[in-house]
Amino acid sequence: QVQLVESGGGLVQPGGSLRLSCAASGSLFRIIATAWYRQAPGKERELVARITSGGSTDYLDSVKGRFTISADNSLNTLYLEMNNLKPEDSAVYYCNLRGYSDVANWDDYWGQGTQVTVSS
């Protein structure tokens, strides 16, 4: 019903920047929020940044001031601008969409993930 495809990951040196994109296809009755999560080896998946359908944003404390989440609704694309990257930002980054498929039922949809590696 909904497909999410991430792109933009890669290898970058500490202090560098990357821009992740997530292209969405399909349709939902109503979107609640879209978000970026990440998961490093041996760690649980964590919320990095989220933007609601009303435009409100929130961020993981460790990325505040460095990462910016945005959405281009005309392109059905979610972005994550990451600046001043640190080795601890290395992880697989996942795009997430939470929405209602009908008036009563909501679900989480996930992309396949894109690897971000910060290393010199």
Side-chain angles (χ1 to χ4, degrees):
Q1 186 173 10
V2 173
Q3 289 189 325
L4 305 173
V5 179
E6 300 101 333
S7 60
L11 173 64
V12 64
Q13 292 186 341
S17 298
L18 282 175
R19 188 194 198 200
L20 304 183
S21 299
C22 172
S25 60
S27 63
L28 287 171
F29 178 74
R30 182 167 69 90
I31 294 174
I32 300 170
T34 51
W36 289 96
Y37 285 74
R38 68 186 182 189
Q39 187 167 21
K43 295 187 177 182
E44 293 189 353
R45 190 173 295 190
E46 62 181 355
L47 175 65
V48 176
R50 175 173 51 206
I51 183 167
T52 68
S53 59
S56 298
T57 58
D58 58 274
Y59 296 89
L60 181 68
D61 283 346
S62 63
V63 308
K64 286 180 180 177
R66 300 189 296 122
F67 290 12
T68 302
I69 188 171
S70 62
D72 186 332
N73 294 326
S74 66
L75 297 176
N76 291 332
T77 303
L78 181 70
Y79 302 101
L80 184 68
E81 186 77 34
M82 305 185 294
N83 297 313
N84 190 21
L85 283 160
K86 304 176 180 180
E88 53 264 40
D89 294 319
S90 297
V92 177
Y93 283 70
Y94 297 91
C95 177
N96 167 266
L97 187 154
R98 176 170 291 181
Y100 282 89
S101 55
D102 56 44
V103 69
N105 299 294
W106 64 270
D107 206 347
D108 279 311
Y109 303 88
W110 296 91
Q112 82 287 352
T114 185
Q115 177 71 49
V116 171
T117 302
V118 184
S119 175
S120 55

